[in-house]
Amino acid sequence: MAAVETGPARPDNDWVTRTLLLAAAGLAAAVQAPPVLAQPNAPPNAVFLVARAAIRDPNFSQTVVLVTQAQDGHTVGVIVNRPTSLKLSQFYGDDVPTQNYKDAVFFGGPVMRQTVVALFRSETAPAASAFHVLPGLYLTMHPRNVERLLATPGAPRYRLYAGFSGWSPGQLKDELERDGWYLLPADESTVFLEDPSGLWKRLHERASRRQTQAPPRFAAIGP
């Protein structure tokens, strides 16, 4: 997939706008939250959302989204198949060593696009707030976590995103019931693909073949 710029158009749909504002209000608190989101024994809890072909929202058309659940019932995640041409230096001043990050900045989603979100490996739960999404893999929007990664040459594997995707409590379940998404188990190798072009097509074909089977259980949408 070619790199895409993420600054343009947002849908004019008022419902979509209200949804994004609600998600931002509920999830922005995670940036300031005390370090309770990454408990050492907290089980990983994430799946892939694979957009069905019928989704026309430009934010989510042909996307694969890694999602997990916040403590307040919101669902939060990042789009894993949309690299951009954005420069990390656009988000930070000269005091942050952005040159240590060599990967593309990905478009994480339409919420808080000026916020840098990190998906990173860690053998221990980070001190600042983070979501445990896969074994040893955390998602964070806390500046302390992100800047620590940037300041550590040779830091464990990580990827950075501009913005994130969010759903208010119960909203994602409603979208699934309206056949907006497929669900697939998430895995680390897919998250960190160097070239995610073609990923949506592959997972969409896999998910459509599996649609008669029971989907993976996921706390954010219930059994």
Side-chain angles (χ1 to χ4, degrees), residues 35-45 71 122-126 130-138:
V36 297
L37 295 179
Q39 296 295 332
N41 296 321
N45 179 33
Q71 289 183 326
S122 179
E123 297 304 318
T124 59
F131 302 97
H132 191 191
V133 292
L134 291 170
L137 196 66
Y138 294 87

Side-chain angles (χ1 to χ4, degrees), residues 171-220:
Q171 181 189 0
L172 181 54
K173 185 174 183 178
D174 290 342
E175 291 186 12
L176 287 163
E177 289 173 349
R178 294 198 303 270
D179 293 330
W181 301 91
Y182 289 117
L183 280 177
L184 284 177
D187 65 277
E188 181 178 338
S189 61
T190 299
V191 167
F192 286 116
L193 282 174
E194 290 187 15
D195 179 11
S197 60
L199 176 62
W200 174 80
K201 183 178 180 180
R202 292 196 302 274
L203 294 191
H204 188 274
E205 290 175 352
R206 183 190 307 172
S208 62
R209 291 195 301 267
R210 294 180 48 155
Q211 64 181 328
T212 58
Q213 302 176 17
R217 292 176 61 84
F218 180 42

Side-chain angles (χ1 to χ4, degrees), residues 16-223:
V16 172
T17 301
R18 287 196 303 272
T19 296
L20 295 182
L21 290 173
L22 285 170
L27 293 168
V31 177
Q32 304 296 334
V36 297
L37 295 179
Q39 296 295 332
N41 296 321
N45 179 33
V47 293
F48 284 138
L49 296 178
V50 181
R52 292 185 183 239
I55 289 184
R56 297 293 183 232
D57 180 346
N59 289 310
F60 294 112
S61 177
Q62 297 190 5
T63 58
V64 178
V65 192
L66 177 73
V67 292
T68 190
Q69 185 185 38
Q71 289 183 326
D72 61 1
H74 285 75
T75 303
V76 61
V78 288
I79 297 169
V80 301
N81 65 324
R82 281 195 179 172
T84 78
S85 58
L86 295 171
K87 302 298 183 184
L88 193 57
S89 57
Q90 295 175 228
F91 298 86
Y92 293 103
D94 295 339
D95 57 323
V96 177
T98 57
Q99 71 277 2
N100 288 335
Y101 182 68
K102 306 301 183 184
D103 204 349
V105 176
F106 278 58
F107 174 52
V111 183
M112 295 173 63
R113 297 183 187 205
Q114 296 306 309
T115 296
V116 175
V117 179
L119 186 67
F120 65 102
R121 285 209 54 79
S122 179
E123 297 304 318
T124 59
S129 301
F131 302 97
H132 191 191
V133 292
L134 291 170
L137 196 66
Y138 294 87
L139 181 70
T140 185
M141 59 193 82
H142 198 294
R144 191 188 315 161
N145 286 329
V146 179
E147 292 174 18
R148 183 180 293 116
L149 290 168
L150 291 171
T152 308
R157 199 176 199 181
Y158 70 101
R159 179 164 284 174
L160 300 181
Y161 302 81
F164 59 93
S165 303
W167 289 262
S168 57
Q171 181 189 0
L172 181 54
K173 185 174 183 178
D174 290 342
E175 291 186 12
L176 287 163
E177 289 173 349
R178 294 198 303 270
D179 293 330
W181 301 91
Y182 289 117
L183 280 177
L184 284 177
D187 65 277
E188 181 178 338
S189 61
T190 299
V191 167
F192 286 116
L193 282 174
E194 290 187 15
D195 179 11
S197 60
L199 176 62
W200 174 80
K201 183 178 180 180
R202 292 196 302 274
L203 294 191
H204 188 274
E205 290 175 352
R206 183 190 307 172
S208 62
R209 291 195 301 267
R210 294 180 48 155
Q211 64 181 328
T212 58
Q213 302 176 17
R217 292 176 61 84
F218 180 42
I221 60 167

